[in-house]
Amino acid sequence: MPDLLDWIGYLGSLVVLISLLMSSIKKLRWINLVGAVIFAFYGFMIASIPTGFMNIGIAIIDIVFLVRMYKQKDYFRVLPIPEPTEYLSQFFKFYKSDIEQTQALDVEALNKALVKFYVLRNMTPASVFIADKYDSSTLEIKLDYAIPMYRDFKIGKFLYDNQKEYFSGLGYSKFVIFTDKKEHINYVKKMGFEESPKNKNCYIKSI
């Protein structure tokens, strides 16, 4: 029967393994840091000095990279999509299954939408934003999708906090989005959307 120290070792191993499943580099570093600290403690407790010091080293490396990530000032820019392109078509095909976990992917409707653009993050097309007119003052978001490695909410904050003039310049004062997906609902609420008291699965945010 494994004793307490064995269980600590198993826990450290499990946490490190879970970290490798993360698509977000930031999440990977944080979880790996926790795993390394647990494993370092385990190594020292069983008098395995190399194991302890190796994991202390891993923890230090994780901390260094996390500090760099939080200090790094990312460059963001909106790049309009004036008409359907081959790149956009391939983007939809490549990320189809991931997009459909949280949002509907009606390519024909998306291509006809009035507002379409990529969000470049450090010159990488990290996100696609597509919206259409809902009424005279409201823009309905049809797709707000960031590729997995850039899901740290920075793009969302850039869109909804820093691009208000862009959207108001188009003549809109509100966003609306319809969703019944829990993960997507958590995201839109984090971005400041509030559930409509009148319509089910409807979330609204003032620009």
Side-chain angles (χ1 to χ4, degrees):
M1 183 75 178
D3 60 19
L4 179 60
L5 280 179
D6 289 331
W7 285 115
I8 292 173
Y10 295 144
L11 176 62
S13 300
L14 178 62
V15 173
V16 170
L17 286 173
I18 290 173
S19 75
L20 300 178
L21 297 174
M22 298 297 105
S23 56
S24 166
I25 301 299
K26 190 175 289 184
K27 286 182 180 179
L28 185 154
R29 289 291 180 187
W30 271 114
I31 297 173
N32 190 263
L33 171 60
V34 173
V37 170
I38 294 172
F39 224 100
F41 174 77
Y42 169 74
F44 289 126
M45 291 301 294
I46 65 170
S48 177
I49 304 304
T51 299
F53 277 111
M54 181 187 72
N55 282 280
I56 287 292
I58 292 172
I60 291 171
I61 291 170
D62 284 329
I63 290 170
V64 169
F65 275 94
L66 283 166
V67 169
R68 287 181 183 176
M69 288 178 194
Y70 282 104
K71 283 187 173 181
Q72 180 182 352
K73 292 184 178 180
D74 290 312
Y75 170 83
F76 292 96
R77 182 176 178 179
V78 166
L79 181 65
I81 305 172
E83 58 185 31
T85 64
E86 181 61 24
Y87 179 84
L88 184 61
S89 175
Q90 293 302 318
F91 186 98
F92 287 153
K93 288 180 181 179
F94 187 82
Y95 291 109
K96 182 178 186 294
S97 60
D98 191 45
I99 292 172
E100 289 181 336
Q101 289 183 30
T102 56
Q103 301 174 73
L105 184 62
D106 184 342
V107 175
E108 185 176 351
L110 293 175
N111 283 334
K112 292 177 180 179
L114 293 175
V115 180
K116 300 189 290 289
F117 57 75
Y118 301 108
V119 177
L120 303 184
R121 181 168 175 176
N122 302 324
M123 296 309 296
T124 298
S127 170
V128 171
F129 180 92
I130 298 178
D132 211 353
K133 184 176 181 179
Y134 183 72
D135 61 33
S136 60
S137 62
T138 307
L139 196 61
E140 181 183 353
I141 299 170
K142 298 291 189 180
L143 181 69
D144 176 6
Y145 174 79
I147 63 178
M149 68 180 298
Y150 289 113
R151 282 185 201 150
D152 55 5
F153 301 108
K154 285 186 177 181
I155 292 175
K157 290 177 181 178
F158 167 75
L159 279 172
Y160 299 113
D161 294 342
N162 300 343
Q163 295 300 299
K164 292 181 179 180
E165 290 186 5
Y166 177 90
F167 293 112
S168 61
L170 297 175
Y172 299 101
S173 60
K174 285 189 299 184
F175 293 115
V176 65
I177 189 164
F178 295 90
T179 180
D180 59 357
K181 304 289 187 180
K182 184 177 179 180
E183 184 179 348
H184 198 205
I185 291 170
N186 291 338
Y187 166 73
V188 298
K189 284 184 175 180
K190 192 173 183 69
M191 292 300 105
F193 284 75
E194 296 181 353
E195 189 170 6
S196 169
K198 299 179 180 179
N199 300 317
K200 186 180 179 181
N201 301 326
C202 175
Y203 298 83
I204 300 169
K205 177 180 173 67
S206 295
I207 295 174

